[in-house]
Amino acid sequence: MEPLPPYRILPPDEDRVFMELQPDLADTLVVSWHRDALRDLWPYPYETGALLRLALLQAEARTVDNFALSLCLMSLEYVTPAEECEAVERLIARGFVERVDDTYVSVNTLALNVIERALLPAQFRMEWNAAKADWPGPPSAQQLTLL
């Protein structure tokens, strides 16, 4: 086991990354990542997946249709329960998760929070909807060929 990461104090800021759980629904939950937490976790997919799973369980979210969020969670399909527990211990050491008692942990909402879409500022939602409407969609399969 590698040494535990240092404890991270996240500065409170409004610069966050938002991802909808179900992009096709207007009334959906939104995952709100702190940018510094994402930067710290991107080289550690198991920790990223564990943090996201804990936040979704805490918010009692049932369905995820967002491809990027599904990729984060997919990394947990390849680890044992002991390795997932180790990832949670590393998240506790980072300060992204707090231990409540021997069997329960709580996600630091500054690092990752699951909120209702209606709680986002109206101006931001309007710009987000406009950007989604202008997006042409994923590239066609022909553009994805590597040969």
Side-chain angles (χ1 to χ4, degrees):
M1 182 168 126
E2 39 180 292
L4 290 176
Y7 188 85
R8 180 80 150 89
I9 297 174
L10 296 172
D13 66 350
E14 298 302 318
D15 194 20
R16 302 185 68 85
V17 175
F18 297 103
M19 297 178 176
E20 298 169 307
L21 291 182
Q22 298 172 312
D24 294 336
L25 297 178
D27 186 27
T28 183
L29 294 174
V30 175
V31 174
S32 171
W33 298 85
H34 192 285
R35 283 196 189 274
D36 291 346
L38 272 179
R39 273 190 221 107
D40 287 354
L41 293 176
W42 78 264
Y44 306 100
Y46 305 136
E47 290 179 41
T48 306
L51 180 63
L52 180 57
R53 180 181 288 181
L54 289 172
L56 292 173
L57 288 171
Q58 192 170 306
E60 299 178 3
R62 303 275 186 256
T63 338
V64 175
D65 291 336
N66 186 311
F67 183 72
L69 294 175
S70 297
L71 279 177
C72 290
L73 293 171
M74 187 174 62
S75 66
L76 297 178
E77 297 295 322
Y78 302 102
V79 298
T80 65
E83 290 171 320
E84 190 171 347
C85 288
E86 180 184 337
V88 172
E89 290 298 325
R90 296 178 64 77
L91 290 168
I92 292 170
R94 289 182 190 276
F96 298 162
V97 173
E98 300 164 0
R99 184 172 301 285
V100 176
D101 60 30
D102 291 341
T103 59
Y104 185 73
V105 295
S106 176
V107 175
N108 180 346
T109 57
L110 189 57
L112 176 67
N113 198 7
V114 180
I115 59 175
E116 293 185 28
R117 193 172 195 278
L119 295 177
L120 296 172
Q123 180 70 27
F124 177 80
R125 282 184 290 159
M126 187 175 71
E127 291 169 3
W128 198 5
N129 288 337
K132 284 172 46 177
D134 290 342
W135 187 56
S140 68
Q142 199 171 35
Q143 292 174 325
L144 295 177
T145 57
L146 300 174
L147 300 174

